[in-house]
Amino acid sequence: MSAKLLLNGRVITAFIMLLVFSVMTIMAFDFPAKARLMPLMFGIPGTIFGLFQLLMEIKHAMTDVPEETPEALEKARLEKKDEIQMFLWVFLFFIFITAFGFVYASPFLVFGFLYIAKSESLKIAIIGGVCTLIVIYGVFQAWFEIPLFQGLVVEWLTG
């Protein structure tokens, strides 16, 4: 495999998604019969689609011949910047949700993403954060009574 293929962000992302779905599917076979249905319902199609996406990304990366024009170089630079920014936001979501839980971290992260990363207006960012809070807390915790992860800091402070 060429270094160009291994360093392509889209190929890496497709590979990680294939790995997540494959591991989830394999792990589901060790669950009791009643507990394995839901992971298999998502894991098997996810694995198939992940494999298909990985093959498409590899094909695209191998046939993509970069142009040397200034416009193409600028476009490639902006795409790389967007990729790095997206990985940073995924990392921030992981860290903050692990620390503060879904209910507390998600609305602020959505607000921050919309306002800082996507340069949306303050009104749109606030609406996005409030709607996230309504869905996470109102729908999942209050209505469906699904206990969501509270976060390590919250558990430490309350426990």
Side-chain angles (χ1 to χ4, degrees):
M1 237 178 243
S2 70
K4 174 184 161 187
L5 189 62
L6 292 175
L7 295 176
N8 186 306
R10 295 176 70 145
V11 172
I12 293 170
T13 303
F15 177 73
I16 289 171
M17 292 308 298
L18 174 63
L19 192 64
V20 166
F21 280 108
S22 300
V23 169
M24 181 176 66
T25 304
I26 292 168
M27 286 176 56
F29 286 109
D30 286 339
F31 295 169
K34 290 183 179 180
R36 82 171 65 125
L37 178 63
M38 187 62 71
L40 290 177
M41 278 179 38
F42 288 99
I44 292 172
T47 302
I48 293 168
F49 288 133
L51 181 62
F52 181 68
Q53 185 67 34
L54 178 63
L55 295 175
M56 285 179 38
E57 295 299 343
I58 288 172
K59 180 182 174 190
H60 178 72
M62 291 176 73
T63 60
D64 191 25
V65 178
E67 298 177 29
E68 297 297 325
T69 64
E71 296 85 17
L73 293 174
E74 179 65 19
K75 181 182 176 191
R77 188 187 69 76
L78 288 174
E79 286 177 356
K80 182 64 83 178
K81 180 184 169 206
D82 287 345
E83 260 181 33
I84 291 170
Q85 186 181 45
M86 190 56 60
F87 279 117
L88 173 69
W89 278 101
V90 168
F91 179 72
L92 285 174
F93 266 78
F94 174 76
I95 294 298
F96 276 83
I97 287 174
T98 302
F100 301 106
F102 285 98
V103 175
Y104 299 114
S106 295
F108 292 109
L109 288 166
V110 169
F111 169 82
F113 177 75
L114 290 173
Y115 191 67
I116 296 168
K118 293 301 175 185
S119 302
E120 293 289 345
S121 69
L122 185 61
K123 178 182 174 183
I124 296 295
I126 290 172
I127 290 171
V130 169
C131 288
T132 302
L133 178 64
I134 289 169
V135 169
I136 296 288
Y137 181 77
V139 173
F140 288 110
Q141 272 203 309
W143 189 15
F144 291 155
E145 298 178 1
I146 298 173
L148 299 174
F149 179 66
Q150 295 299 310
L152 299 176
V153 172
V154 174
E155 287 180 9
W156 177 70
L157 289 174
T158 59

